[in-house]
Amino acid sequence: MKGKIVIAGGRGSLGSLIVARYLNTETEIVILTRKARLGHANVRYVVWDATTLGRWAKELEGATAVINLVGKSVNCRYTAKNKAEIIRSRVDSTAIIGAAIQRADAPPKVWINAGSAAIFGDAGDEVKMEGSLMGNGFSPEVCRRWEAAFHQYDTPDTRKIFLRIGIVIQSEGGILKPFFNLARFGLGGKIGSGEQYLSWIHETDFANLVDWVIGHEGIQGTIHATSPHPVKNKDFMQAIRQAVGIRLGLPNYTWSTKFGAWLIGTEAELLLSGRRVVSKTLAEEGFQFDFPEITDAFRNLAL
């Protein structure tokens, strides 16, 4: 694909997957970043603050796509300060990109904004598709505000896609390496009840999905960026043990998971809650996953 892709949050773990997808191609990649950096290959860096309009907005003129992946990590303690920053970072960056698109003389062809499957909260066994009822609690509320910031902008000349992203399993970054290490030390058993569902997507499928939605002009609206086969935590952990060649793993009880989360400064709900999210849209539109099954995904990414 030729043209230009502008990525806000392009230096994060998800942004790096998209950059790698187009690196050393004819696609011009522009990464919006808070600090000036030297470019390389077909990648340029442009400074922005994610809250105000500036020279960076000119990069959207005539772009093939603008992709917003900005958001403070939720892997932290949910203090009042952190909660406010989690919301602000997502809402402000989304809103300012929407404002820049509306002011553009030649707006980008498509605007892709990251979101989260966590909008459904702790949803038990219920299958959640696009259009399903949202959940309750802090994480769903963050997602509601995030999506509201995206939908408030009418961009008739720019197609809009909001990706509710599940857990992206990656060879570098993300959650996978700590889980593999737990399994190698004999601690790769179920977490909590083990019955909570994990909605996930392989890094290759995530990058391919972004490329796919850019290229399919009839695709718009909310899409669940998840594998068609969510798994329970106990099966997720079993697949990890298989990938590293460990037969058994001690369970991580609810109380010990909460204590461990407190020790490392994060929230236990990130592991103890779950949701069973799939995409009706991708199934109907024929998107093909390279790694639809968790065992194949882990076998490919085993570290």
Side-chain angles (χ1 to χ4, degrees), residues 124-125 127 167 169 175 191 194-201 226-240 242 271 273-278 291-298:
D125 291 344
V127 176
I167 296 171
I169 56 174
I175 69 165
I191 298 175
E195 296 297 315
Q196 66 273 32
Y197 272 91
L198 283 85
S199 299
W200 61 277
I201 186 170
T226 61
S227 159
H229 302 295
V231 293
K232 291 184 177 181
N233 173 269
K234 62 183 181 181
D235 299 320
F236 183 87
M237 299 305 296
Q238 181 182 26
I240 286 178
Q242 289 176 347
L271 294 172
S273 65
R275 57 210 60 92
R276 192 178 184 182
V277 181
V278 299
F291 299 96
E293 302 287 349
I294 196 67
T295 51
D296 292 335
F298 281 153

Side-chain angles (χ1 to χ4, degrees), residues 34 58 78 146:
R34 294 180 183 273
K58 291 294 184 182
Y78 286 174
W146 202 356

Side-chain angles (χ1 to χ4, degrees), residues 27-47:
T27 302
E28 180 184 4
I29 302 170
V30 177
I31 297 178
L32 302 182
T33 178
R34 294 180 183 273
K35 295 182 180 180
R37 298 177 184 275
L38 293 176
H40 58 94
N42 55 322
V43 180
R44 289 192 294 115
Y45 296 88
V46 174
V47 174

Side-chain angles (χ1 to χ4, degrees), residues 147-256:
E147 296 194 15
F150 178 76
H151 292 303
Q152 72 177 310
Y153 289 96
D154 183 24
T155 60
D157 297 317
T158 299
R159 184 164 49 97
K160 296 171 65 178
I161 296 169
F162 197 91
L163 294 180
R164 289 176 178 163
I165 305 169
I167 296 171
V168 181
I169 56 174
Q170 304 173 242
S171 56
E172 298 181 8
I175 69 165
L176 200 56
K177 189 172 182 178
F179 276 111
F180 278 140
N181 288 338
L182 276 177
R184 291 188 177 107
F185 285 106
L187 300 174
K190 66 180 182 179
I191 298 175
S193 70
E195 296 297 315
Q196 66 273 32
Y197 272 91
L198 283 85
S199 299
W200 61 277
I201 186 170
H202 186 283
E203 62 179 12
T204 297
D205 288 323
F206 175 75
N208 287 345
L209 175 57
V210 170
D211 183 73
W212 184 82
V213 297
I214 290 174
H216 282 69
E217 296 183 358
I219 301 296
Q220 60 184 337
T222 300
I223 296 176
H224 290 171
T226 61
S227 159
H229 302 295
V231 293
K232 291 184 177 181
N233 173 269
K234 62 183 181 181
D235 299 320
F236 183 87
M237 299 305 296
Q238 181 182 26
I240 286 178
R241 295 197 304 272
Q242 289 176 347
V244 298
I246 302 293
R247 290 186 59 191
L248 301 174
L250 293 175
N252 299 274
Y253 299 105
T254 298
W255 67 266
S256 60

Side-chain angles (χ1 to χ4, degrees), residues 78-142:
Y78 286 174
T79 62
K81 180 180 179 181
N82 283 339
K83 283 183 175 182
E85 179 59 19
I86 286 170
I87 294 171
R88 188 202 63 78
S89 61
R90 287 159 173 76
V91 170
D92 287 359
S93 61
T94 300
I96 201 62
I97 286 176
I101 292 174
Q102 285 192 332
R103 288 165 172 75
D105 294 323
K109 293 180 180 179
V110 59
W111 172 15
I112 301 171
N113 213 91
S116 175
I119 196 166
F120 298 111
D122 193 3
D125 291 344
E126 182 181 355
V127 176
K128 295 291 188 177
M129 296 180 286
E130 296 88 349
S132 295
L133 292 177
M134 303 173 190
N136 298 304
F138 174 66
S139 294
E141 179 60 23
V142 171

